[in-house]
Coordinates of all heavy atoms in Angstrom, one line a residue:
P1 N 15.6 -33.7 -102.1 CA 14.5 -34.6 -101.9 C 14.9 -36.0 -101.2 O 15.9 -36.4 -101.5 CB 14.1 -34.9 -103.4 CG 15.4 -34.6 -104.1 CD 16.1 -33.5 -103.4
E2 N 14.1 -36.2 -100.2 CA 14.5 -37.5 -99.4 C 14.1 -38.7 -100.3 O 13.4 -38.5 -101.3 CB 13.6 -37.5 -98.2 CG 14.0 -36.6 -97.1 CD 15.3 -36.8 -96.5 OE1 15.6 -38.0 -96.4 OE2 16.2 -35.9 -96.4
P3 N 14.6 -39.8 -100.0 CA 14.2 -41.0 -100.8 C 12.8 -41.3 -101.0 O 12.4 -41.6 -102.1 CB 15.0 -42.2 -100.0 CG 16.1 -41.4 -99.2 CD 15.6 -40.1 -98.9
A4 N 12.0 -41.0 -99.9 CA 10.6 -41.2 -100.1 C 9.9 -40.3 -101.1 O 8.8 -40.6 -101.6 CB 9.9 -41.0 -98.7
N5 N 10.5 -39.2 -101.4 CA 10.0 -38.3 -102.4 C 10.3 -38.7 -103.8 O 9.7 -38.2 -104.8 CB 10.5 -36.9 -102.1 CG 10.1 -36.3 -100.9 OD1 9.0 -36.7 -100.3 ND2 10.7 -35.3 -100.3
T6 N 11.3 -39.6 -103.9 CA 11.6 -40.1 -105.3 C 10.9 -41.3 -105.6 O 10.2 -41.4 -106.7 CB 13.1 -40.5 -105.3 OG1 13.9 -39.4 -104.8 CG2 13.6 -40.9 -106.6
H7 N 10.7 -42.3 -104.7 CA 10.0 -43.5 -104.9 C 9.5 -44.0 -103.6 O 9.7 -43.4 -102.6 CB 10.8 -44.6 -105.6 CG 11.4 -44.2 -106.9 ND1 10.6 -43.8 -107.9 CD2 12.7 -44.0 -107.3 CE1 11.4 -43.5 -109.0 NE2 12.6 -43.5 -108.6
E8 N 8.9 -45.2 -103.6 CA 8.5 -45.8 -102.4 C 9.7 -46.0 -101.3 O 10.8 -46.3 -101.8 CB 8.0 -47.3 -102.8 CG 7.7 -48.1 -101.5 CD 7.3 -49.6 -101.9 OE1 7.1 -49.6 -103.2 OE2 7.1 -50.3 -101.0
A9 N 9.5 -45.5 -100.2 CA 10.6 -45.5 -99.2 C 11.0 -47.0 -98.9 O 10.1 -47.8 -98.7 CB 10.2 -44.8 -97.9
P10 N 12.3 -47.2 -98.7 CA 12.7 -48.6 -98.4 C 12.4 -48.9 -96.9 O 12.2 -48.0 -96.1 CB 14.2 -48.5 -98.6 CG 14.6 -47.1 -98.4 CD 13.4 -46.3 -99.0
P11 N 12.3 -50.2 -96.6 CA 12.1 -50.5 -95.1 C 13.4 -50.1 -94.3 O 14.4 -49.7 -94.8 CB 11.9 -52.1 -95.2 CG 11.5 -52.3 -96.6 CD 12.3 -51.3 -97.4
A12 N 13.3 -50.5 -93.0 CA 14.5 -50.1 -92.2 C 15.7 -50.8 -92.7 O 15.7 -51.9 -93.1 CB 14.1 -50.4 -90.8
W13 N 16.8 -50.1 -92.6 CA 18.1 -50.7 -93.0 C 18.3 -52.1 -92.3 O 18.2 -52.2 -91.1 CB 19.3 -49.8 -92.7 CG 20.6 -50.5 -92.7 CD1 21.4 -50.7 -91.6 CD2 21.2 -51.0 -93.8 NE1 22.5 -51.4 -92.0 CE2 22.5 -51.6 -93.3 CE3 21.1 -51.1 -95.2 CZ2 23.5 -52.1 -94.2 CZ3 21.9 -51.7 -96.0 CH2 23.1 -52.2 -95.5
G14 N 18.7 -53.1 -93.1 CA 18.9 -54.4 -92.6 C 17.7 -55.3 -92.6 O 17.8 -56.5 -92.4
G15 N 16.6 -54.8 -93.0 CA 15.4 -55.6 -93.1 C 15.5 -56.5 -94.3 O 16.2 -56.3 -95.2
H16 N 14.6 -57.6 -94.2 CA 14.6 -58.7 -95.3 C 14.4 -58.1 -96.6 O 15.0 -58.6 -97.6 CB 13.7 -59.7 -94.9 CG 13.7 -60.8 -95.9 ND1 14.7 -61.8 -96.1 CD2 12.8 -61.2 -96.8 CE1 14.3 -62.6 -97.0 NE2 13.3 -62.4 -97.5
D17 N 13.5 -57.2 -96.7 CA 13.0 -56.6 -97.9 C 13.5 -55.3 -98.3 O 13.1 -54.5 -99.2 CB 11.5 -56.5 -98.0 CG 10.8 -57.9 -97.9 OD1 11.3 -58.8 -98.4 OD2 9.7 -57.9 -97.2
F18 N 14.7 -55.0 -97.7 CA 15.3 -53.6 -97.9 C 15.6 -53.3 -99.4 O 15.3 -52.2 -99.8 CB 16.6 -53.4 -97.1 CG 17.3 -52.1 -97.2 CD1 16.8 -51.1 -96.4 CD2 18.3 -51.9 -98.1 CE1 17.3 -49.8 -96.4 CE2 18.9 -50.5 -98.0 CZ 18.4 -49.6 -97.3
Y19 N 16.2 -54.3 -100.1 CA 16.6 -54.0 -101.5 C 15.5 -54.4 -102.5 O 15.7 -54.4 -103.7 CB 17.9 -54.8 -101.8 CG 19.0 -54.2 -101.2 CD1 19.7 -54.9 -100.3 CD2 19.5 -52.9 -101.5 CE1 20.8 -54.4 -99.6 CE2 20.7 -52.4 -100.9 CZ 21.2 -53.1 -99.9 OH 22.4 -52.6 -99.3
N20 N 14.3 -54.8 -102.1 CA 13.3 -55.4 -103.0 C 12.2 -54.4 -103.4 O 11.2 -54.8 -103.9 CB 12.6 -56.6 -102.3 CG 13.5 -57.8 -102.1 OD1 14.6 -57.9 -102.9 ND2 13.3 -58.7 -101.2
V21 N 12.4 -53.1 -102.9 CA 11.4 -52.1 -103.4 C 12.0 -51.3 -104.6 O 13.2 -51.2 -104.6 CB 11.0 -51.1 -102.2 CG1 10.4 -52.0 -101.1 CG2 12.3 -50.6 -101.6
P22 N 11.1 -50.6 -105.4 CA 11.8 -49.8 -106.5 C 12.7 -48.8 -106.0 O 13.7 -48.5 -106.8 CB 10.5 -49.2 -107.1 CG 9.4 -50.3 -106.7 CD 9.7 -50.8 -105.4
A23 N 12.5 -48.3 -104.8 CA 13.4 -47.1 -104.4 C 14.8 -47.7 -104.4 O 15.8 -46.8 -104.6 CB 13.1 -46.7 -103.1
M24 N 15.1 -48.9 -104.2 CA 16.5 -49.5 -104.1 C 17.0 -50.2 -105.3 O 18.0 -50.9 -105.2 CB 16.6 -50.3 -102.7 CG 16.2 -49.7 -101.5 SD 17.1 -48.1 -101.2 CE 18.8 -48.6 -101.2
Y25 N 16.2 -50.2 -106.3 CA 16.6 -50.9 -107.6 C 17.9 -50.5 -108.0 O 18.1 -49.2 -108.2 CB 15.5 -50.8 -108.6 CG 16.0 -51.2 -110.0 CD1 16.5 -52.5 -110.2 CD2 16.0 -50.3 -111.1 CE1 16.9 -52.8 -111.5 CE2 16.4 -50.7 -112.3 CZ 16.9 -51.9 -112.5 OH 17.2 -52.3 -113.7
G26 N 18.9 -51.3 -108.2 CA 20.3 -51.0 -108.8 C 21.2 -50.3 -107.7 O 22.1 -49.8 -108.1
I27 N 20.7 -50.2 -106.5 CA 21.4 -49.4 -105.5 C 21.8 -50.4 -104.3 O 21.0 -51.1 -103.9 CB 20.7 -48.3 -105.0 CG1 20.3 -47.3 -106.1 CG2 21.4 -47.5 -103.8 CD1 19.4 -46.1 -105.6
F28 N 23.1 -50.3 -104.0 CA 23.6 -51.2 -102.8 C 24.4 -50.4 -102.0 O 25.1 -49.4 -102.3 CB 24.5 -52.3 -103.5 CG 23.8 -53.1 -104.6 CD1 23.9 -52.7 -105.9 CD2 22.9 -54.1 -104.4 CE1 23.3 -53.2 -107.0 CE2 22.2 -54.7 -105.4 CZ 22.4 -54.3 -106.7
R29 N 24.4 -50.9 -100.6 CA 25.3 -50.1 -99.7 C 26.6 -50.9 -99.6 O 26.7 -52.1 -99.4 CB 24.6 -50.2 -98.3 CG 25.5 -49.5 -97.2 CD 24.5 -49.3 -96.0 NE 25.4 -48.6 -95.0 CZ 25.0 -47.9 -94.0 NH1 23.7 -47.7 -93.9 NH2 25.7 -47.5 -93.0
V30 N 27.7 -50.1 -99.8 CA 29.1 -50.7 -99.7 C 29.8 -49.7 -98.6 O 30.0 -48.6 -98.9 CB 29.7 -50.6 -101.0 CG1 31.1 -51.1 -100.9 CG2 29.0 -51.4 -102.0
A31 N 30.1 -50.3 -97.5 CA 30.9 -49.5 -96.5 C 29.9 -48.2 -96.1 O 28.8 -48.3 -95.9 CB 32.2 -49.2 -96.9
N32 N 30.6 -47.2 -96.2 CA 30.0 -45.9 -95.9 C 29.6 -45.1 -97.2 O 29.8 -43.9 -97.3 CB 30.8 -45.0 -95.0 CG 31.0 -45.5 -93.7 OD1 30.1 -46.1 -93.0 ND2 32.3 -45.5 -93.2
S33 N 29.0 -45.8 -98.1 CA 28.5 -45.2 -99.4 C 27.4 -46.0 -99.9 O 27.2 -47.2 -99.6 CB 29.7 -45.1 -100.4 OG 30.1 -46.3 -100.7
W34 N 26.6 -45.4 -100.9 CA 25.7 -46.1 -101.7 C 26.3 -46.3 -103.0 O 26.9 -45.4 -103.6 CB 24.4 -45.3 -101.7 CG 23.6 -45.1 -100.6 CD1 23.5 -44.0 -99.7 CD2 22.9 -46.2 -99.8 NE1 22.7 -44.3 -98.7 CE2 22.3 -45.6 -98.7 CE3 22.6 -47.5 -100.0 CZ2 21.6 -46.3 -97.7 CZ3 21.9 -48.2 -99.1 CH2 21.3 -47.6 -98.0
R35 N 26.1 -47.4 -103.8 CA 26.6 -47.7 -105.0 C 25.5 -48.0 -106.0 O 24.6 -48.9 -105.8 CB 27.7 -48.8 -104.9 CG 28.2 -49.2 -106.3 CD 29.3 -50.2 -106.2 NE 30.5 -49.9 -105.5 CZ 31.5 -50.6 -105.2 NH1 31.5 -51.9 -105.5 NH2 32.5 -50.1 -104.6
V36 N 25.6 -47.3 -107.1 CA 24.6 -47.7 -108.2 C 25.3 -48.5 -109.3 O 26.5 -48.2 -109.7 CB 24.1 -46.3 -109.0 CG1 23.3 -46.7 -110.1 CG2 23.4 -45.4 -108.0

């Protein structure tokens, strides 16, 4: 399942509101990985 199939798709990487949508709640990008 792509991220959009789980929740609202996040905006483009680096955008101002990238982490402010439910899809990215509790998830952060660290180097070449996603961290919960």
